[in-house]
């Protein structure tokens, strides 16, 4: 098949950590081994587990090594970053988990109202325990960069309004890179009964034998880009978009406006950092319009390349040619110098920034299993 073929071809054995026997990806920093042991130990004492997963990859973002222990506990699966996921597909995943008798709720860790709904569900699940236990322990677990620490901080903010006399609570460290939280810390969020929430480091399995799951984790930022390679991640992303025919849904962008072209010419320089929130200076109208028009140009370019593609989407060689052509077109759209020795890497970084920021649209990369 086209997608499977190009995945295998793109992931040839080399410096990126995939092995010949199954394509396992290895990224297991030293602290993860110790953290995994600590998590297993504390899970035995926990009254409830909040397992945070990425809403774009509800299956792939599960730590399979911990699933036997997690499924044996009272558990709520929180599908974080719901704003980056296609709501229709996400709802199908929620129904799937419901059919498996597993509590699941889509959330945005930065939204108080969303986190309140999660806490209401947690309190409901703990009702039968609250009556006989003076102290309860809730553990937050998940793979790197799914938003656990951001969730903890939102819970702290809500708890501080509910219990203003409580001692000042320490905020969890939040960062854009996987592996920011490297120890286990407990935070008191309620009195009578006393409820503690444990924030834990994000941990992966020591190796990921499934190539596609490894690529999805890399695409979502749970594995450092440098481990796999930005160009390989984008090659996979483009293959998935083409296979699903996603760019064909962008037909309405077939004729970019003259205004878009003018702005592009006036502002040829472009940096991935342009898309990141600026803490000290808010972007002005021209900055926002530029990013919006840049996204329109990127989507238009992918629509044109796929709609004019004359090959077989299921043939791996044809798919490879299409993806290579799309890299060339994106280089022009993103205004990267043609002679740049790092042009492909720059294209990949900028395209990944657009995808991860949600500018290209909302996606769920995991296919919904049959109930």
């Amino acid at each position: 098949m086209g997608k499977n073929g190009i995945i295998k071809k793109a992931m040839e054995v080399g410096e990126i950590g995939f092995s010949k026997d199954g394509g396992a990806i290895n990224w297991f920093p030293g602290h993860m081994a110790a953290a995994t042991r600590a998590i297993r130990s504390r899970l035995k004492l926990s009254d409830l587990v909040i397992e945070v997963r990425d809403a774009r990859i509800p299956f792939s973002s599960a730590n399979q090594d911990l699933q036997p222990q997690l499924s044996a506990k009272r558990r709520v699966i929180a599908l974080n970053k719901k704003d980056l996921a296609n709501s229709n597909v996400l709802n199908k995943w929620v129904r799937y988990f419901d059919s498996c008798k597993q509590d699941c709720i889509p959330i945005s860790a930065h939204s108080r109202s969303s986190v309140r709904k999660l806490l209401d569900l947690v309190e409901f699940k703990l009702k039968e325990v609250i009556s006989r236990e003076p102290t309860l322990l809730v553990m937050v677990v998940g793979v790197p960069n799914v938003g656990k620490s951001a969730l903890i901080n939102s819970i702290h903010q809500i708890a501080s309004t509910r219990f203003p006399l409580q001692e000042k609570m320490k905020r969890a460290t939040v960062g854009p890179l996987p592996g920011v939280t490297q120890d286990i810390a407990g935070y008191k969020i309620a009195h009578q009964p006393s409820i503690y929430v444990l924030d834990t480091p994000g941990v992966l399995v020591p190796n990921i034998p499934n190539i596609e799951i490894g690529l999805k984790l890399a695409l979502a930022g749970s594995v450092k880009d440098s481990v796999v390679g930005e160009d390989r991640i984008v090659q996979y992303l483009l293959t998935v978009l083409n296979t699903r025919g996603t760019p064909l849904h962008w037909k309405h962008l077939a004729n970019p406006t003259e205004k878009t072209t003018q702005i592009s010419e006036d502002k040829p320089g472009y940096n991935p950092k342009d898309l990141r929130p600026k803490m000290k200076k808010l972007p002005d109208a021209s900055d926002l319009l530029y990013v919006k028009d840049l996204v329109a140009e990127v989507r238009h370019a992918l629509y044109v390349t796929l709609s004019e593609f004359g090959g077989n989407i299921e043939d791996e060689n044809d798919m490879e040619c299409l993806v290579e052509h799309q890299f060339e077109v994106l280089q022009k759209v993103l205004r990267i110098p043609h002679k740049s020795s790092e042009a492909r890497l720059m294209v990949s970084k900028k395209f990944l920034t657009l995808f991860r920021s949600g500018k290209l649209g909302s996606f769920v990369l995991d296919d919904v299993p049959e109930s």
Side-chain angles (χ1 to χ4, degrees), residues 282-300:
L282 294 175
D284 58 29
S286 62
D287 290 332
L288 295 174
L289 187 59
Y290 169 65
V291 172
K292 179 180 178 180
D293 289 338
L294 176 68
V295 170
E297 289 185 54
V298 168
R299 293 172 115 187
H300 165 64

Side-chain angles (χ1 to χ4, degrees), residues 1-8 212 236 239-240 243 313 367:
M1 301 295 286
K3 184 172 73 169
N4 292 337
I6 202 167
I7 289 172
K8 291 178 181 178
E212 192 160 8
Y236 169 72
T239 301
V240 171
T243 301
I313 206 76
D367 295 322

Side-chain angles (χ1 to χ4, degrees), residues 314-331:
E314 297 297 326
D315 182 87
E316 64 181 77
N317 292 321
D318 286 355
M319 175 65 81
E320 183 179 14
C321 290
L322 172 60
V323 170
E324 288 302 311
H325 177 51
Q326 289 175 326
F327 264 103
E328 294 173 0
V329 172
L330 287 173
Q331 182 178 342

Side-chain angles (χ1 to χ4, degrees), residues 11 15-18 25-27 56 144-145 176-179 204 214-234 237 272 276 345-357:
M11 297 296 108
E15 74 283 5
I16 59 174
F18 285 89
I25 182 172
N26 298 286
W27 183 60
R56 296 166 295 180
N145 208 33
L177 298 177
L204 289 169
L215 285 166
K216 288 176 181 178
L217 287 168
L219 187 54
S222 293
V223 176
K224 288 182 178 179
D225 291 345
S226 58
V227 175
V228 179
E230 289 89 342
D231 61 332
R232 288 177 170 88
I233 299 173
V234 171
L237 175 57
R276 298 175 183 172
L345 177 61
M346 294 170 66
V347 169
S348 299
K349 287 185 174 181
K350 292 176 182 180
F351 190 69
L352 278 176
T353 301
L354 288 173
F355 171 78
R356 290 169 175 166
S357 64

